[in-house]
Short mmCIF file of all heavy atoms in Angstrom, two decimals:
data_model
loop_
_atom_site.label_atom_id
_atom_site.label_comp_id
_atom_site.label_asym_id
_atom_site.label_seq_id
_atom_site.Cartn_x
_atom_site.Cartn_y
_atom_site.Cartn_z
N MET A 1 9.64 4.28 -0.57
CA MET A 1 9.40 5.68 -0.95
C MET A 1 8.83 6.43 0.24
O MET A 1 7.94 5.95 0.92
CB MET A 1 8.39 5.73 -2.11
CG MET A 1 8.12 7.15 -2.61
SD MET A 1 6.86 7.13 -3.91
CE MET A 1 7.72 6.23 -5.19
N GLN A 3 6.70 9.33 2.34
CA GLN A 3 5.41 9.94 2.11
C GLN A 3 5.58 11.37 1.63
O GLN A 3 6.54 12.05 1.97
CB GLN A 3 4.59 9.94 3.40
CG GLN A 3 4.07 8.55 3.76
CD GLN A 3 3.10 8.63 4.91
OE1 GLN A 3 3.25 9.46 5.80
NE2 GLN A 3 2.09 7.80 4.90
N LEU A 39 -3.44 6.91 -14.09
CA LEU A 39 -3.17 8.34 -14.09
C LEU A 39 -4.35 9.12 -14.65
O LEU A 39 -4.76 10.15 -14.11
CB LEU A 39 -1.90 8.64 -14.90
CG LEU A 39 -1.51 10.12 -15.04
CD1 LEU A 39 -1.31 10.76 -13.68
CD2 LEU A 39 -0.26 10.26 -15.90
N PRO A 109 25.51 23.99 -20.58
CA PRO A 109 24.12 23.75 -20.94
C PRO A 109 24.00 23.10 -22.30
O PRO A 109 24.86 23.25 -23.15
CB PRO A 109 23.51 25.16 -20.93
CG PRO A 109 24.67 26.07 -21.19
CD PRO A 109 25.84 25.44 -20.54
N LYS A 179 -11.79 12.04 -3.83
CA LYS A 179 -12.69 12.93 -3.13
C LYS A 179 -14.05 12.86 -3.80
O LYS A 179 -14.16 12.94 -5.02
CB LYS A 179 -12.16 14.37 -3.14
CG LYS A 179 -10.78 14.53 -2.51
CD LYS A 179 -10.77 14.09 -1.06
CE LYS A 179 -9.41 14.31 -0.42
NZ LYS A 179 -9.38 13.80 0.98
N GLN A 322 -14.22 -33.16 -14.29
CA GLN A 322 -15.50 -33.30 -14.99
C GLN A 322 -15.95 -34.75 -15.10
O GLN A 322 -17.15 -35.05 -15.07
CB GLN A 322 -15.39 -32.69 -16.39
CG GLN A 322 -15.37 -31.16 -16.37
CD GLN A 322 -15.37 -30.58 -17.78
OE1 GLN A 322 -15.67 -31.27 -18.73
NE2 GLN A 322 -15.01 -29.33 -17.90
N SER A 381 -10.33 -48.07 -5.99
CA SER A 381 -9.08 -47.45 -5.60
C SER A 381 -9.13 -45.97 -5.97
O SER A 381 -9.33 -45.61 -7.13
CB SER A 381 -7.90 -48.12 -6.31
OG SER A 381 -6.69 -47.48 -5.98
N ILE A 452 -11.50 -17.44 2.41
CA ILE A 452 -12.47 -16.60 1.71
C ILE A 452 -12.10 -15.14 1.99
O ILE A 452 -12.10 -14.71 3.14
CB ILE A 452 -13.91 -16.88 2.19
CG1 ILE A 452 -14.30 -18.33 1.90
CG2 ILE A 452 -14.90 -15.92 1.52
CD1 ILE A 452 -15.70 -18.70 2.35
N GLN A 454 -12.24 -11.16 2.48
CA GLN A 454 -13.27 -10.29 3.05
C GLN A 454 -14.16 -9.74 1.95
O GLN A 454 -13.69 -9.21 0.95
CB GLN A 454 -12.61 -9.15 3.82
CG GLN A 454 -13.59 -8.26 4.57
CD GLN A 454 -12.89 -7.11 5.28
OE1 GLN A 454 -11.97 -6.51 4.73
NE2 GLN A 454 -13.32 -6.79 6.49
N VAL A 469 -7.68 -38.10 0.37
CA VAL A 469 -7.64 -39.40 -0.32
C VAL A 469 -7.50 -40.52 0.70
O VAL A 469 -8.23 -41.53 0.67
CB VAL A 469 -6.48 -39.45 -1.33
CG1 VAL A 469 -6.32 -40.86 -1.88
CG2 VAL A 469 -6.71 -38.46 -2.46
N VAL A 485 -15.13 -25.70 9.96
CA VAL A 485 -15.04 -24.67 10.99
C VAL A 485 -14.31 -23.46 10.43
O VAL A 485 -13.53 -23.57 9.49
CB VAL A 485 -14.30 -25.19 12.24
CG1 VAL A 485 -14.98 -26.42 12.80
CG2 VAL A 485 -12.83 -25.48 11.94
N GLU A 490 -13.95 -12.73 14.66
CA GLU A 490 -14.44 -11.45 14.16
C GLU A 490 -13.91 -10.31 15.00
O GLU A 490 -13.36 -10.53 16.09
CB GLU A 490 -15.97 -11.45 14.17
CG GLU A 490 -16.55 -11.74 15.54
CD GLU A 490 -18.02 -12.13 15.50
OE1 GLU A 490 -18.59 -12.22 14.41
OE2 GLU A 490 -18.60 -12.32 16.58
#
Side-chain angles (χ1 to χ4, degrees):
M1 182 183 295
Q3 286 189 326
L39 178 58
K179 301 300 182 184
Q322 287 184 16
S381 177
I452 298 180
Q454 186 182 40
V469 171
V485 303
E490 56 196 3

